[in-house]
Amino acid sequence: MLPKALEKAIEDLGKLPGVGARTAERYGYFLLKSDSEIAKSIAKSLAQLHDGVAICPVTFALISPNDKVSPLYSSPDRDKTTVMVVEEPLDIMAMERTHQYQGTYHVLGGTISPIDGVGPDQLHINELIERIKQDKVKEIIVATNASVEGESTAIFLQKRLKELYPKLKISRLARGLPVGVDLEYADQVTLTHALEGRQEI
C-alpha cells in the first residue's frame, strides 16, 4: 500500500525502543513531508555514529575517538578519590546536569541479572576494584537504579568492596519521594526509602 522506500523507513524506525508501529509510521511520514535535508542530516549522523564514538578504557564512559580517556576523568578539576558507580553511560549525563558533583565516574555496563544471564564477571567490577587501588579512592558512591537488579548490584558491590577495602567509604544515592507526588500514589519501595532517609526539620 505504501512505496517500498517509505515502508523500509517505517520498518527500521520501528526497531527503536519504545517506538510502536503507529509511532514509526508518524516518524516516517514526518521525515517524508519535511525538508529532505532533515532526513539526510539524520542519515549522515547515524552513518557516522559507530566510528565517532569510543569507550573510555578507565571509566567506560562514552568518549570521542581522539580522546585517550574521558575528560571527566582527566580533568584536574575532578576528584579522582571519589567515584560514582552508574549502570550506563547516559546516567553520567543526568548527574552532570545537576552541576553538584566533582568526582569521577565508573560505568558498570548494566546490572547483575541472573534471569538475563548477566553475572558480576560480565560487568566492569574488576576494573573498578583496580581503580580503587590505582587512584587511592576514598569513597564509592553507588548510583544504580532503584530496581530489583539495581539494588542487588548495589548490595553485591558493597559486600565485595568492603571485603577488599575495609576502610573504604561506600555510600548510596538517597531515595525518596519526588516533588509533586502524593503519598497514595507512591510505590512501596519508594516509601520505604523515603522513611529510611528521613531528616530532622
Side-chain angles (χ1 to χ4, degrees), residues 68-182:
K68 291 184 178 179
V69 295
S70 169
L72 295 176
Y73 177 78
S74 61
S75 171
D77 296 328
R78 290 283 172 164
D79 177 14
K80 288 186 174 66
T81 66
T82 303
V83 179
M84 182 176 292
V85 180
V86 297
E87 294 180 18
E88 301 293 348
L90 292 184
D91 295 334
I92 294 174
M93 299 305 300
M95 186 55 63
E96 283 299 292
R97 291 189 193 103
T98 69
H99 302 290
Q100 298 297 313
Y101 179 67
Q102 292 302 315
T104 59
Y105 297 92
H106 190 87
V107 180
L108 291 176
T111 54
I112 297 171
S113 179
I115 292 177
D116 298 319
V118 180
D121 293 339
Q122 278 78 51
L123 305 178
H124 301 299
I125 294 175
N126 289 331
E127 292 87 346
L128 173 62
I129 291 170
E130 186 61 29
R131 274 189 69 185
I132 293 170
K133 181 180 177 182
Q134 293 278 5
D135 292 339
K136 298 179 173 60
V137 174
K138 296 177 181 177
E139 180 180 6
I140 292 291
I141 303 171
V142 181
T144 52
N145 293 324
S147 61
V148 173
E149 294 80 9
E151 293 293 336
S152 298
T153 304
I155 292 169
F156 176 87
L157 282 174
Q158 180 186 14
K159 290 181 178 178
R160 180 78 181 275
L161 297 180
K162 276 298 182 183
E163 288 173 359
L164 297 171
Y165 305 101
K167 295 183 179 179
L168 178 67
K169 180 181 178 182
I170 303 175
S171 58
R172 183 90 163 97
L173 283 186
R175 297 281 190 263
L177 294 168
V179 176
V181 172
D182 295 336

